[in-house]
Amino acid sequence: MHVDGVDWMTARKKVDEMNRENDKGAWLAHLPYHVGVSMGFTGAILAVPMVFHKPTVLWFAENIVELSGDEIPDPADLETFWQVGSFSWEWMEPMLGTLSFVLLGLQFMRAQMQHIQMTPYSDFIRKWRANRLVRMYPQYDRYIVMEYSSTDLWYDKR
């Protein structure tokens, strides 16, 4: 680094230090993504038993939907998972249908945002990281430090 007047090996150590500082707090920046992945996985796994698994459907019908005993079909009418699914679809269809439409709308919105290169959360995090690194290393050129921070991977692949 010309600013510090040091050799390449010493400069490399300084860049490694900057990289470690730039990666601090990454877990917090990743949190919305991890929450979204977890919710998507959980929803995908739970959807099938909520519609087709007889014990789950009966428990949900009695405790959440609060159906009375006369509203629940006879055991003979719930012998196959097709019959169970037909029974549970009465309350699951509006929930799953609405959720599917919400996800479709969000996917469409995301696609349109990508067309105009609009990434509000990611841009906010990149700028926050870059400005933080610039404040930590004011002796170096602001734009070079910002560019370094902006292009630094969030997950170190080494």
Side-chain angles (χ1 to χ4, degrees):
M1 289 190 186
H2 180 71
V3 171
D4 293 340
V6 296
D7 62 17
W8 189 91
M9 289 301 290
T10 307
R12 183 68 221 167
K13 290 177 184 173
K14 178 60 82 172
V15 171
D16 288 342
E17 172 191 315
M18 291 173 75
N19 183 47
R20 284 189 301 278
E21 288 296 331
N22 201 37
D23 290 342
K24 282 186 179 176
W27 69 271
L28 187 59
H30 297 151
L31 190 60
Y33 299 112
H34 291 290
V35 168
V37 167
S38 299
M39 288 175 55
F41 178 78
T42 302
I45 295 299
L46 290 179
V48 175
M50 293 288 290
V51 175
F52 297 109
H53 184 246
K54 185 177 174 180
T56 304
V57 167
L58 290 174
W59 180 88
F60 196 82
E62 293 168 359
N63 298 294
I64 305 300
V65 182
E66 297 181 349
L67 295 180
S68 61
D70 60 331
E71 295 175 296
I72 297 175
D74 294 326
D77 294 333
L78 296 175
E79 290 180 351
T80 68
F81 72 92
W82 297 113
Q83 292 169 322
V84 172
S86 180
F87 166 60
S88 69
W89 200 242
E90 182 180 333
W91 65 83
M92 291 301 292
E93 192 264 338
M95 184 173 28
L96 291 175
T98 301
L99 183 60
S100 295
F101 188 77
V102 166
L103 290 175
L104 180 65
L106 290 173
Q107 287 175 331
F108 178 76
M109 180 184 73
R110 181 176 184 266
Q112 300 314 306
M113 289 172 67
Q114 286 178 327
H115 287 306
I116 59 173
Q117 298 174 350
M118 184 178 169
T119 55
Y121 180 73
S122 298
D123 287 345
F124 170 78
I125 294 298
R126 270 191 218 93
K127 288 175 186 171
W128 175 80
R129 287 176 66 201
N131 288 327
R132 182 177 157 275
L133 204 61
V134 165
R135 285 191 304 274
M136 293 179 76
Y137 297 96
Q139 68 270 32
Y140 303 121
D141 184 88
R142 172 183 180 81
Y143 298 105
I144 292 175
V145 174
M146 287 182 84
E147 286 297 319
Y148 170 76
S149 175
S150 296
T151 58
D152 184 32
L153 298 175
W154 284 9
Y155 287 112
D156 195 4
K157 301 291 184 192
R158 287 187 257 177

